[in-house]
Amino acid sequence: MCCLFGLIDYGNIFSTRSKNRIIGVLSKECEARGIDATGIAFNTCSGMHIYKRPVAAHKMWYKIPDDARVIMGHTRMTTQGSEKFNYNNHPFPGQVDKLKFALAHNGVLHNDIMLRNEEKLPHTHIQTDSYVAVQLIEKENTLGFDSIRKMAEKTEGSFCYTILDGHNNLYIVKGDNPMALYKFNGFYMYASTDEILSRVVKKLGLTNYSKVNVSCGDILRIDPSGVIEVQQFDFPDWYGGYGFFHRSPYYDGTMDTLIEYAGYFGIPEEDVIMLVDYGYDELEIEEMFYKPGLMRDSIAELKMMEMY
């Protein structure tokens, strides 16, 4: 469980100070889904810049320059690859031909090692599962709907990707993980959940916006002028509308596996056992992995019951 966030100021309406404030508020609200590391990517006249640190968002000091129009961000909850080594944190840099790009991922991939072997991808010191998505795009040596579609159809697990290229095109690749995108007059703002984005809008005092629909299997490209183009990728039948735990072909039906995947989301073993003991089935528990508020409320209710 991580969080994607960002700002697309296609109308060039914000001052430097306003952009820094918006990203500051956005990233801090995203801490609800990850505090291990924080990172942003943006373009200026001098090229692409990625700034990331192994700290929670409220400890980051942003200095976004005036000519940065699109800012792509990520708050991380570590699942694979220690956040202490900054190269394991998002966004990740990539390059196809002479075009640089940055990629961030919310979710957990379970076939990254297999893909590195099958696709004969270059050896890398980066341990994070998400980085295989960068390598798959680089292997195509082009960045666009076709190469992104191939990447999305090869990676298995839970995911939503954001990709920013050096021309200020922002791609949103929507798997089964959540994404909320709001359009305002002159800019877009996004975050992984409606709950987070709604809080940000309220804190910033913003009004008059519309929600942009982003469906599972969509690839959106928002160009520098704010125009959205949408294409699709094939979502395999075995995804079934459930989550990573039930989709995984490696799931063996044991309590140990359920607890293992819960750990990827920072959920303690004792909480999983408590839910099972009170009659929650595997699907209900797995669904809570993606709804931390529901998980928190359910556990609190059960603990309250045990007190009486």
Side-chain angles (χ1 to χ4, degrees):
M1 182 178 67
C2 300
C3 198
L4 304 170
F5 66 89
L7 172 70
I8 302 99
D9 181 17
Y10 67 87
N12 192 21
I13 63 175
F14 290 117
S15 66
T16 303
R17 181 176 181 180
S18 294
K19 282 182 287 193
N20 279 277
R21 178 170 181 264
I22 290 169
I23 293 301
V25 172
L26 254 176
S27 62
K28 288 173 187 176
E29 287 299 325
C30 291
E31 283 189 354
R33 294 177 60 88
I35 59 172
D36 294 329
T38 310
I40 58 173
F42 54 85
N43 292 297
T44 68
C45 60
S46 61
M48 175 165 285
H49 305 267
I50 296 176
Y51 176 64
K52 54 186 177 179
R53 293 291 183 272
V55 298
H58 72 272
K59 295 181 179 180
M60 288 281 280
W61 182 57
Y62 299 106
K63 194 175 181 181
I64 300 166
D66 181 62
D67 57 344
R69 301 283 178 263
V70 183
I71 301 98
M72 182 183 85
H74 182 276
T75 61
R76 186 181 184 207
M77 187 194 77
T78 303
T79 57
Q80 181 178 316
S82 172
E83 74 280 356
K84 294 178 181 179
F85 301 102
N86 204 35
Y87 51 72
N88 285 326
N89 297 323
H90 307 235
F92 297 102
Q95 183 167 331
V96 290
D97 197 8
K98 296 180 181 180
L99 179 66
K100 292 184 178 182
F101 67 92
L103 180 146
H105 167 225
N106 169 29
V108 180
L109 303 180
H110 59 70
N111 69 333
D112 54 305
I113 296 175
M114 181 181 70
L115 282 171
R116 288 192 179 101
N117 293 329
E118 289 184 351
E119 300 287 332
K120 296 181 173 55
L121 301 176
H123 175 74
T124 176
H125 60 286
I126 298 173
Q127 301 164 315
T128 313
D129 53 336
S130 315
Y131 188 65
V132 73
V134 174
Q135 292 185 302
L136 289 171
I137 293 172
E138 288 183 326
K139 185 179 179 181
E140 296 297 317
N141 201 32
T142 185
L143 178 61
F145 284 111
D146 288 341
S147 59
I148 291 173
R149 181 181 298 108
K150 289 179 181 178
M151 177 275 290
E153 292 177 352
K154 287 178 179 177
T155 53
E156 297 175 0
S158 60
F159 65 78
C160 183
Y161 301 104
T162 53
I163 305 166
L164 175 64
D165 73 16
H167 299 313
N168 267 347
N169 294 294
L170 180 82
Y171 294 87
I172 297 174
V173 188
K174 175 73 169 63
D176 65 332
N177 269 19
M179 170 57 66
L181 174 64
Y182 293 179
K183 182 178 183 179
F184 300 80
N185 184 22
F187 67 99
Y188 294 92
M189 191 181 298
Y190 70 87
S192 284
T193 69
D194 268 302
E195 181 183 9
I196 289 172
L197 202 49
S198 295
R199 289 201 301 267
V200 171
V201 168
K202 185 175 181 180
K203 284 191 174 184
L204 294 173
L206 299 172
T207 57
N208 300 323
Y209 64 90
S210 59
K211 294 184 179 181
V212 179
N213 182 53
V214 188
S215 300
C216 186
D218 281 349
I219 304 172
L220 275 73
R221 180 175 64 195
I222 307 175
D223 74 13
S225 63
V227 175
I228 294 180
E229 182 179 352
V230 184
Q231 294 191 19
Q232 280 74 39
F233 64 93
D234 289 334
F235 219 51
D237 291 340
W238 51 264
Y239 276 71
Y242 300 108
F244 167 57
F245 176 72
H246 282 268
R247 288 193 313 269
S248 172
Y250 307 114
Y251 170 52
D252 59 9
T254 66
M255 173 64 75
D256 288 343
T257 307
L258 179 60
I259 290 171
E260 177 187 352
Y261 286 123
Y264 291 158
F265 292 83
I267 299 168
E269 176 180 346
E270 56 267 25
D271 287 356
V272 176
I273 293 173
M274 177 181 290
L275 290 167
V276 171
D277 288 346
Y278 275 87
Y280 285 83
D281 64 29
E282 295 162 356
L283 178 58
E284 291 173 316
I285 295 172
E286 191 273 342
E287 184 179 357
M288 291 181 185
F289 294 170
Y290 301 92
K291 299 179 179 178
L294 177 61
M295 171 68 78
R296 189 167 53 248
D297 293 344
S298 298
I299 292 298
E301 183 179 348
L302 294 179
K303 288 181 177 179
M304 184 68 68
M305 291 170 58
E306 288 192 337
M307 294 174 61
Y308 293 97

